[in-house]
């Protein structure tokens, strides 16, 4: 049998591709290390805005806790937020922008919640400048909202925009069983997701075993302190064996991200509650999770999706969104 591509030529090509991969990966690292907000004194508008949003989200999550609400929680997030807002002002960035307004607002929501519980907030003056503690009607954003089970019962009759606009991450589940057929149905629909050259290198691991879920979440570290475990946990992976060239080195994250969003919309359609959980783990934790889920070393872990049933009503972070004008630049 004569092959059209000779082994020796392919071997030479592979060596060149490996050199190219190193070069491109090095460029990735350089671009990331130059632009990422690695310190609060990395003070471009985008860097500061992102760090503000990170801390706003941490405080929103704390405010949304119905069980074990920790009065006076989040001092680290609040003190970092204070510093970011001060640096933002020092840099003379507009106070009319999304992140600044979110940052100023969440401090006031934090005070509102503690006042409503008759809790002392005097400790805030040690970590936050007086101006940020003053009530100000401009800063009416951020905080928490309530999601009702009754609103989810009609999900199958909603149009796509209604469905997507009403979706919210839910971390506090009812503890009732989830029919895995509904989850499989959401995954089946998601298989229509586009992928690069239709390679569909994804794999979804579905776990119902509570002991395994508990162990995975222990190492994942992004789902702490909620009273009920998810009923089902998905681990979304994409195999690097699907990719043919160094320029595809990050494609697993793109295809896996797209698939995941389709699954999430499918779960919303089925009336199930869920939250995406990151796979940004240190190598030790990742190794443990790979062992528990039996993930092949060729596969990239993209993220997890924790699934449960909605409680009659549940408090969740508002997670406000930027405006269209903030995001779209027409060229
Ligand atoms: C890739 C990814 C990773 C996430 N990781 C976590 C996580 O580890 N823990 C968590 O509570 N939420 C996590 N989230 C949920 C986000 O916090 C949430 O989607 C965001 O705040 C927007 O809120 P919404 O989903 O309610 O619209 C993650 C979301 C994404 C997309």
């Amino acid at each position: 049998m004569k092959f059209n591509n000779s082994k020796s030529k392919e071997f030479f090509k592979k060596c060149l591709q490996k050199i190219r991969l190193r070069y491109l990966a090095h460029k990735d690292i350089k671009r990331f290390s130059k632009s990422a907000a690695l310190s609060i004194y990395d003070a471009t508008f985008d860097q500061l805005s992102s760090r503000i949003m990170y801390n706003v989200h941490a405080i929103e999550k704390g405010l949304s806790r119905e069980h074990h609400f920790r009065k006076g929680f989040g001092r680290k997030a609040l003190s970092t937020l204070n510093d970011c807002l001060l640096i933002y002002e020092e840099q003379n960035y507009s106070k009319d922008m999304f992140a600044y307004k979110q940052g100023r607002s969440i401090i006031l929501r934090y005070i509102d919640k503690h006042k409503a519980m008759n809790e002392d907030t005097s400790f805030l003056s040690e970590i936050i400048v007086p101006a940020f503690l003053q009530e100000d009607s401009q800063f009416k954003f951020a905080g928490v909202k309530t999601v009702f089970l009754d609103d989810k019962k009609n999900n199958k009759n909603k149009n796509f925009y209604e469905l997507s606009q009403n979706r919210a991450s839910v971390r506090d589940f009812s503890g009732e069983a989830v029919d895995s057929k509904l989850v499989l149905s959401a995954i089946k629909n998601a298989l229509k997701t586009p992928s690069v050259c239709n390679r569909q290198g994804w794999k979804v691991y579905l776990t119902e075993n509570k002991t395994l879920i508990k162990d995975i979440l222990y190492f994942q570290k992004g789902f702490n302190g909620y009273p009920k475990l998810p009923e089902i946990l998905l681990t979304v992976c994409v195999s690097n064996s699907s990719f043919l060239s160094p320029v595809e080195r990050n494609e697993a994250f793109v295809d896996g991200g797209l698939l995941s969003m389709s699954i999430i919309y499918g779960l919303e359609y089925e009336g199930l509650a869920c939250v995406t959980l990151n796979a940004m783990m240190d190598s030790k934790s990742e190794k443990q999770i790979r062992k528990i889920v039996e993930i092949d070393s060729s596969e990239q872990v993209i993220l997890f999706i924790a699934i449960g049933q909605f409680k009659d009503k549940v408090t969740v972070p508002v997670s406000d969104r930027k405006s269209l004008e903030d995001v779209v630049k027409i060229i």
Side-chain angles (χ1 to χ4, degrees):
M1 177 83 176
K2 187 179 173 303
F3 292 104
N4 295 308
N5 296 285
S6 83
K7 257 194 176 167
S8 54
K9 235 179 163 177
E10 279 297 304
F11 176 74
F12 180 67
K13 239 170 79 183
K14 185 171 173 178
C15 291
L16 283 182
Q17 293 286 54
K18 287 201 171 187
I19 295 169
R20 209 168 150 222
L21 177 60
R22 277 173 186 271
Y23 171 73
L24 290 173
H26 178 68
K27 285 199 119 181
D28 286 345
I29 294 170
K30 250 175 96 174
R31 186 175 303 111
F32 188 84
S33 81
K34 202 172 148 198
S35 330
L38 300 177
S39 145
I40 67 163
Y41 294 103
D42 286 336
T44 67
F45 175 77
D46 286 341
Q47 288 170 329
L48 271 179
S49 301
S50 299
R51 196 174 284 275
I52 290 172
M53 288 312 296
Y54 175 86
N55 287 294
V56 168
H57 179 62
I59 300 164
E60 282 190 335
K61 262 171 78 169
L63 290 175
S64 75
R65 281 186 191 269
E66 291 164 2
H67 299 265
H68 313 302
F69 177 78
R70 290 185 299 121
K71 294 154 200 156
F73 73 92
R75 287 180 194 223
K76 187 159 184 283
L78 286 160
S79 60
T80 306
L81 181 60
N82 172 75
D83 294 359
C84 290
L85 291 168
L86 287 175
I87 298 169
Y88 186 101
E89 291 187 352
E90 233 175 59
Q91 298 288 328
N92 280 323
Y93 296 134
S94 165
K95 292 185 183 173
D96 203 29
M97 297 305 280
F98 177 77
Y100 181 81
K101 289 197 281 190
Q102 287 280 310
R104 290 290 305 269
S105 298
I106 197 66
I107 296 171
L108 301 180
R109 299 298 80 74
Y110 184 96
I111 295 171
D112 294 344
K113 170 82 180 180
H114 283 75
K115 276 196 180 150
M117 297 176 82
N118 271 330
E119 288 298 328
D120 175 45
T121 53
S122 58
F123 74 92
L124 287 175
S125 57
E126 291 161 27
I127 51 174
I128 295 181
V129 295
F132 298 163
L133 299 173
Q134 295 303 317
E135 186 53 55
D136 187 332
S137 59
Q138 280 185 78
F139 302 121
K140 54 182 187 289
F141 310 102
V144 295
K145 63 182 180 186
T146 310
V147 171
F148 295 93
L149 170 65
D150 277 349
D151 290 341
K152 301 293 171 185
K153 288 183 177 159
N154 188 36
N155 272 6
K156 289 198 171 165
N157 296 318
K158 288 180 184 157
N159 71 39
F160 180 71
Y161 280 3
E162 268 182 280
L163 195 77
S164 57
Q165 291 298 310
N166 286 303
R167 183 206 59 77
S169 293
V170 170
R171 300 162 180 86
D172 189 1
F173 303 118
S174 76
E176 290 156 282
V178 167
D179 182 353
S180 62
K181 282 199 204 90
L182 300 181
V183 177
L184 290 172
S185 182
I187 300 173
K188 186 166 182 223
N189 178 66
L191 298 183
K192 191 73 181 72
T193 301
S195 63
V196 64
C197 304
N198 202 22
R199 265 172 276 171
Q200 307 169 63
W202 38 56
K203 197 151 193 179
V204 180
Y205 296 88
L206 186 154
T207 316
E208 285 183 282
N209 179 315
K210 287 282 175 72
T211 313
L212 294 186
I213 292 178
K214 194 169 169 214
D215 290 350
I216 297 167
L217 294 179
Y218 172 78
F219 291 111
Q220 189 272 337
K221 299 187 175 82
F223 190 86
N224 292 328
Y226 295 99
K228 298 274 169 26
L229 281 173
E231 298 304 307
I232 292 181
L233 186 72
L234 303 180
T235 307
V236 178
C237 296
V238 174
S239 171
N240 280 325
S241 305
S242 326
F243 303 117
L244 316 180
S245 140
V247 291
E248 296 183 344
R249 68 199 174 285
N250 297 318
E251 199 53 37
F253 299 101
V254 180
D255 290 1
L258 288 171
L259 178 82
S260 302
M261 194 64 236
S262 301
I263 296 174
I264 291 165
Y265 280 138
L267 295 171
E268 178 73 17
Y269 176 77
E270 297 293 347
L272 293 172
C274 75
V275 62
T276 316
L277 299 174
N278 74 76
M280 304 184 293
M281 300 160 291
D282 57 45
S283 57
K284 262 192 190 159
S285 300
E286 181 168 342
K287 198 171 159 194
Q288 294 299 332
I289 290 183
R290 283 180 176 276
K291 213 162 124 190
I292 300 166
V293 188
E294 297 178 27
I295 299 168
D296 191 80
S297 63
S298 63
E299 288 167 28
Q300 188 70 52
V301 185
I302 307 299
L303 49 79
F304 307 89
I305 304 175
I307 305 165
Q309 298 280 9
F310 283 99
K311 296 186 351 182
D312 288 343
K313 58 181 192 160
V314 60
T315 310
V316 299
V318 166
S319 293
D320 283 318
R321 295 304 205 266
K322 292 179 180 177
S323 70
L324 191 63
E325 296 73 38
D326 284 339
V327 177
V328 178
K329 187 172 175 187
I330 297 177
I331 310 287

